[in-house]
Amino acid sequence: MIDLSYAPTELPQVLDLVSVDSASAELTLQIQPALVWFQGHFPQTPILPGVVQLNWVRIVAARLWQEHAHWLSTASQLEAIKFQQVIRPGDTVQLHMQLQPDRRRVQFTYFSDAKVFASGRLVAAL
């Protein structure tokens, strides 16, 4: 079993690990209103900051593919990043990740049945 334990105020609740193999994973995430990232980030209409979404990809990918954690945990370059819809407290979203170890990158998409929230690639320097 993969350890996806986390600090409950910093990472979303993983409702389901839909699929995972050596190159792809899909998780269902519950975005709890108590996450620290919502505090003070537009108090009247809280949204999840994009930088937090990027960091979650890095954290979850490094835990799922531990053999690549040395570069996944430090991936710092971004490619084709698009934030198309905001993620709000209480949302349930899917996170799909595609690992490309030969290119030292992970492609990701946050989505639900009706829309794409964000997508792009995190890349580690060679």
Side-chain angles (χ1 to χ4, degrees):
M1 185 63 180
I2 298 164
D3 179 16
L4 291 178
S5 58
Y6 56 91
T9 60
E10 295 181 8
L11 291 175
Q13 179 182 5
V14 177
L15 297 178
D16 190 18
L17 185 57
V18 178
S19 65
V20 65
D21 60 34
S22 63
S24 67
E26 188 169 311
L27 300 89
T28 303
L29 307 174
Q30 176 66 49
I31 313 302
Q32 313 93 288
L35 290 170
V36 299
W37 314 114
F38 293 122
Q39 296 173 10
H41 199 257
F42 306 113
Q44 304 303 336
T45 310
I47 63 171
L48 187 66
V51 68
V52 173
Q53 296 173 50
L54 297 171
N55 196 42
W56 288 354
V57 170
R58 181 190 343 252
I59 291 167
V60 173
R63 290 184 183 177
L64 291 175
W65 297 297
Q66 293 180 1
E67 66 274 19
H68 303 291
H70 61 284
W71 63 264
L72 282 168
S73 62
T74 60
S76 59
Q77 297 176 4
L78 306 173
E79 294 179 345
I81 301 298
K82 294 180 185 174
F83 295 101
Q84 297 160 292
Q85 299 286 327
V86 297
I87 297 176
R88 298 191 185 279
D91 283 349
T92 299
V93 301
Q94 303 292 119
L95 170 59
H96 177 80
M97 296 181 296
Q98 188 73 36
L99 182 69
Q100 299 170 345
D102 55 326
R103 299 181 77 183
R104 294 179 65 141
R105 69 183 188 185
V106 60
Q107 186 167 332
F108 70 91
T109 304
Y110 285 96
F111 66 98
S112 70
D113 293 334
K115 58 187 156 189
V116 173
F117 295 98
S119 62
R121 292 182 295 274
L122 291 178
V123 184
L126 294 175

